Amino acid sequence: MSTSPHRRHPAAPGDPGPGVHVVLAVKNLAGAKSRLASALPGSRRADLVVAMLLDTATAAASSSFVVGWSVVTPDPRVADAAARAGATTVSEPASPVSEPASPGGGGIDGLNRALSAAHDAVRGSGVDVVALAADLPALTTAEFDAAYRASTPSGRSVVVDHTGSGTSALVVRGTGVDLHPLFGPDSAARHVSSGAVALTGPWPGLRLDVDTEDDVRRAVALGVGDRTRAVLTNAGWPVSEHRPLQ
């Protein structure tokens, strides 16, 4: 793991916590976003994954609450792009030979272990942690702030994605609270069953993780970040210049 100092932003009025460290996870770019294969070739899909990561991170890191961010990935291109943008990078740990496969397969096991490792790396500094989906190109800083403010002040909270089954954000606040990530199939229900509080705010950009062509259209309608817009424009998608206020 590389190390870098937390970036300090001015405290916001009514800041409810000691600061937030954001963790984002990205899988290997090989075969990325396969459900977009009919709309984008493999190289464009890889470009889109990196662009969405950086737009998501930019929106979150612009929050006055955020003091640092990490990217968990096995992919060297993703790690390089994230590091150049100011992230701490975390490699997925190797899977134990004796570990049974989770519903999402060994890759999900590695992802959840790596998110826990990223949380453990910063929890000693007393910050809260938000594990955030890396494919939220329509996320705004205002949505991130509102979800963090709405989260339980001591414990875990979850933002269910637009499908109703996935998790777009897992928030852990307070000392001695484990992140306990359960990403993978039906992660929202599993997070709630494990004690996380489901947050009820609207936050369309925060809930819209992009996996399908319909998701791309919805994100474009909401307004996507500059990098995502550039990739989609270069691929021939009609994308407005409109971007909601942060």
Side-chain angles (χ1 to χ4, degrees), residues 146-237:
Y148 176 66
R149 287 191 180 100
S151 62
T152 182
S154 181
R156 295 159 64 244
S157 304
V158 62
V159 178
V160 180
D161 73 5
H162 69 292
T163 70
S165 63
T167 297
S168 58
L170 179 64
V171 184
V172 58
R173 296 178 59 184
T175 58
V177 181
D178 290 328
L179 184 64
H180 193 195
L182 296 168
F183 288 89
D186 300 316
S187 63
R190 289 188 288 124
H191 281 132
V192 171
S193 294
S194 71
V197 175
L199 302 180
T200 59
W203 315 316
L206 176 56
R207 295 188 187 274
L208 183 54
D209 49 333
V210 170
D211 290 306
T212 68
E213 290 184 52
D214 283 344
D215 295 340
V216 174
R217 294 186 185 95
R218 292 187 184 100
V220 168
L222 287 174
V224 295
D226 291 342
R227 298 172 184 86
T228 301
R229 183 169 58 245
V231 170
L232 292 175
T233 299
N234 288 338
W237 280 71

Side-chain angles (χ1 to χ4, degrees), residues 73-149:
T73 184
D75 192 285
R77 177 184 170 189
V78 174
D80 179 66
R84 285 187 285 108
T88 297
T89 58
V90 183
S91 298
E92 290 187 14
S95 300
V97 174
S98 61
E99 183 177 272
S102 73
I108 294 298
D109 288 334
L111 167 66
N112 287 320
R113 283 195 306 275
L115 288 171
S116 292
H119 176 226
D120 291 344
V122 299
R123 68 190 305 176
S125 60
V127 296
D128 296 335
V129 169
V130 177
L132 192 63
D135 53 358
L136 305 172
L139 174 68
T140 67
T141 306
E143 289 178 324
F144 180 91
D145 285 349
Y148 176 66
R149 287 191 180 100

Side-chain angles (χ1 to χ4, degrees), residues 12 15 21 37 42-44 58 65 97 111 161 182 198 213 245:
D15 185 343
H21 190 96
S43 60
R44 294 288 193 188
T58 296
F65 298 133
V97 174
L111 167 66
D161 73 5
L182 296 168
E213 290 184 52
L245 295 176

Side-chain angles (χ1 to χ4, degrees), residues 1-4 24-29 46 49-51 53-54 69-92 134:
M1 180 190 303
S2 64
T3 57
S4 62
L24 307 101
V26 180
K27 298 177 183 178
N28 200 298
L29 291 177
V49 169
V50 175
L53 162 68
L54 296 177
W69 58 289
S70 302
V71 172
V72 180
T73 184
D75 192 285
R77 177 184 170 189
V78 174
D80 179 66
R84 285 187 285 108
T88 297
T89 58
V90 183
S91 298
E92 290 187 14

